[in-house]
Amino acid sequence: MTINIYNTLTRKKEKFAPIEPNRVKMYVCGPTVYNYIHIGNARPAIVFDTVRRYFEYKGYQVDYVLNFTDVDDKLINAAKELGEEVPTIAERFIQAYKEDVGVLGVKEAVHHPRVTETMDDIISFISTLIDKGHAYEADGDVYFKTRSFDHYGKLSHQSIDELRSGARIQVGEKKQDPLDFALWKQTKDGEIAWDSPWGKGRPGWHIECSAMAKKYLGDTIDIHAGGQDLTFPHHENEIAQSEAANGTSFANYWMHNGYINIDNEKMSKSLGNFVLAHDLIQKHDPKVLRFFMLSVHYRNPINFSDALLESAKNSYDRIENALTNLEHRKEASVNLADDNQQWLDKINALQQQFEQEMDDDFNTANAIAVIFDLVKEANVYLKSDHTHVAVIDTFIDTLTAWLEVLGIPQTQEEELLDEEIEALIEKRIEARKNKDFQLADKIRDDLKERNIILEDTPQGTRWKRG
Ligand SMILES: [Zn+2]
């Protein structure tokens, strides 16, 4: 079955057709790293990680790129306030981001490009735009000539005239048209800067994503994603830059996640309802937080409150309880049941349904409803006197696989490193030499539990991951 994605560009659900078979080139706009992230930033991290996980579950390889904006006005101001250097602050909050979203089950991107490490590509991208007549230099700054790109406004569905009426040239800006936007900004004295053909300066915000997507994924990518608030102007500007420079379509599918409200109000610093993910994960089980975030479809707004989080915890506990009960019964199961096939068919039908919901624009809200249907069936099954280990195992495996797709994995154990495995194999050889076969067998069994298979050959012990 194909995955259908709601595409902001066409405002329709479309069948996903990748550029290359079984591969997804996916770019997600990442954070500006001048502070801890708030839960509004945690939502795209979780949502698009789930999209990635589902693609992987369906057998796709996902080239997942998420950038770090490690130089911009916010960082420069933070550096002034704290009396620190920009790179020091950036490094600190990149690590904090990775830790916080890591705890929330978000996998590391395949590439995490930073502006400061992509400077050559950014400068050459801007030069191409100037050469092609889509950008101009104005006294050390460089601007994109918005009217030179015919399709400006196509993502946010606005006409250039509508946009024109709302645009102003701010004091100190050297642009020719209010719609033009900065690609390169001349440095003020003492600020962090890079050499360029236009003098010392730093990039505007939008250009980094165009340059990074091109560098890591090519001229045309499958999916570009980010928060709804980025649709305009950020993503509109990315399209203009990339399509003007590359002469081809930039992204085939545009995905945007909805906002988060706190106690039914918009989150803002002035309202004092600003919630940092960093603080939340100290107070609440990160698995419940992730479960809560996914219990609403990603395009809908989410309302966040302690009461809602508490009720999410109660729901989530029902899933974990079912799993624990299934695990317990596994040991006590006998092979007497004769209604196995009927139960396996029921689980299989739910499996189809789970995938149908996820195929439908990653509808995690409905997929979670299917999880509860499975939990209900499992609880009915557990009441029966005759349970079969094959059915119990299928319940467990199905539930575990679904939770893995949602990024709520149940295995706490870290994957063993190669060196650790080899050290254990050495220990087992030692044990066998000392005729301590009990220890030797225990090591083999422990490794097997962690999916490491040993094979004794005349040349010695070989191992592989199961
Ligand atoms: Zn971006």
Side-chain angles (χ1 to χ4, degrees), residues 371-382:
I371 293 184
F372 284 112
D373 288 343
L374 187 82
V375 164
K376 213 157 76 189
E377 296 291 355
N379 290 338
V380 171
Y381 187 67
L382 286 170

Side-chain angles (χ1 to χ4, degrees), residues 107-123:
K107 297 211 260 183
E108 279 234 14
V110 177
H111 299 285
H112 268 310
R114 306 178 185 196
V115 179
T116 57
E117 292 169 356
T118 321
M119 209 51 81
D120 292 347
D121 301 83
I122 292 173
I123 290 171

Side-chain angles (χ1 to χ4, degrees), residues 162-453:
E162 279 166 356
L163 290 165
R164 170 65 188 86
S165 67
R168 301 278 178 277
I169 299 183
Q170 305 290 329
V171 179
E173 287 185 326
K174 300 157 205 162
K175 53 193 182 184
Q176 296 166 356
D177 183 310
L179 287 173
D180 297 348
F181 55 89
L183 301 172
W184 188 262
K185 297 177 180 179
Q186 192 180 43
T187 326
K188 296 179 197 119
D189 279 343
E191 282 177 1
I192 189 164
W194 286 261
D195 287 321
S196 82
W198 321 286
K200 277 192 177 304
R202 62 185 174 81
W205 172 35
H206 314 297
I207 193 69
E208 68 186 70
C209 292
S210 285
M212 289 166 177
K214 184 182 172 77
K215 180 174 182 183
Y216 291 99
L217 300 171
D219 288 354
T220 304
I221 66 176
D222 290 298
I223 297 174
H224 195 310
Q228 203 179 68
D229 52 324
L230 298 182
T231 313
F232 186 85
H234 184 54
H235 288 162
E236 199 71 73
N237 291 353
E238 280 188 41
I239 292 178
Q241 295 161 164
S242 291
E243 299 194 351
N246 302 330
T248 181
S249 158
F250 178 36
N252 291 337
Y253 306 87
W254 284 86
M255 296 180 72
H256 293 99
N257 67 276
Y259 294 114
I260 288 195
N261 294 321
I262 311 281
D263 292 320
N264 289 315
E265 279 194 274
K266 196 172 179 270
M267 181 169 52
S268 78
K269 271 191 175 139
S270 56
L271 285 171
N273 62 357
F274 211 70
V275 181
L276 296 180
H278 193 70
D279 296 334
L280 268 182
I281 54 182
Q282 323 291 329
K283 286 194 286 186
H284 301 277
D285 181 351
K287 285 181 185 171
V288 173
L289 281 170
R290 181 154 177 146
F291 173 80
F292 171 74
M293 288 269 198
L294 295 176
S295 64
V296 173
H297 187 266
Y298 77 88
R299 281 191 285 121
N300 292 340
I302 251 192
N303 189 33
F304 186 90
S305 72
D306 285 337
L308 287 168
L309 207 54
E310 191 56 35
S311 105
K313 186 188 179 323
N314 294 335
S315 305
Y316 177 72
D317 284 349
R318 279 168 52 208
I319 304 176
E320 281 208 341
N321 288 342
L323 264 176
T324 313
N325 293 340
L326 286 162
E327 291 284 359
H328 270 288
R329 180 60 73 89
K330 201 169 154 175
E331 327 243 307
S333 275
V334 283
N335 297 346
L336 287 175
D338 52 10
D339 55 353
N340 283 3
Q341 198 51 48
Q342 190 193 326
W343 281 98
L344 293 175
D345 289 348
K346 259 187 204 178
I347 299 171
N348 188 42
L350 289 171
Q351 171 69 31
Q352 309 287 327
Q353 213 183 321
F354 178 86
E355 291 192 19
Q356 246 168 44
E357 299 298 354
M358 290 300 285
D359 284 342
D360 181 15
D361 195 29
F362 309 95
N363 196 331
T364 54
N366 288 357
I368 285 173
V370 179
I371 293 184
F372 284 112
D373 288 343
L374 187 82
V375 164
K376 213 157 76 189
E377 296 291 355
N379 290 338
V380 171
Y381 187 67
L382 286 170
K383 285 200 184 101
S384 140
D385 291 337
H386 304 294
T387 50
H388 194 287
V389 72
V391 177
I392 298 275
D393 270 342
T394 311
F395 267 120
I396 294 174
D397 291 349
T398 307
L399 204 45
T400 313
W402 292 354
L403 290 171
E404 177 79 38
V405 165
L406 297 184
I408 313 172
Q410 298 302 305
T411 42
Q412 298 294 343
E413 282 172 318
E414 300 259 310
E415 197 169 299
L416 284 175
L417 299 172
D418 290 8
E419 303 91 279
E420 292 173 318
I421 296 166
E422 268 141 33
L424 283 167
I425 291 174
E426 277 306 311
K427 206 174 149 193
R428 179 167 168 266
I429 294 170
E430 232 9 79
R432 288 172 71 174
K433 267 191 205 152
N434 300 332
K435 306 226 179 293
D436 187 353
F437 296 111
Q438 211 179 340
L439 176 64
D441 287 347
K442 188 184 174 324
I443 293 172
R444 170 194 277 271
D445 292 345
D446 287 351
L447 282 169
K448 198 178 167 210
E449 278 230 347
R450 301 187 70 170
N451 273 330
I452 310 295
I453 314 295

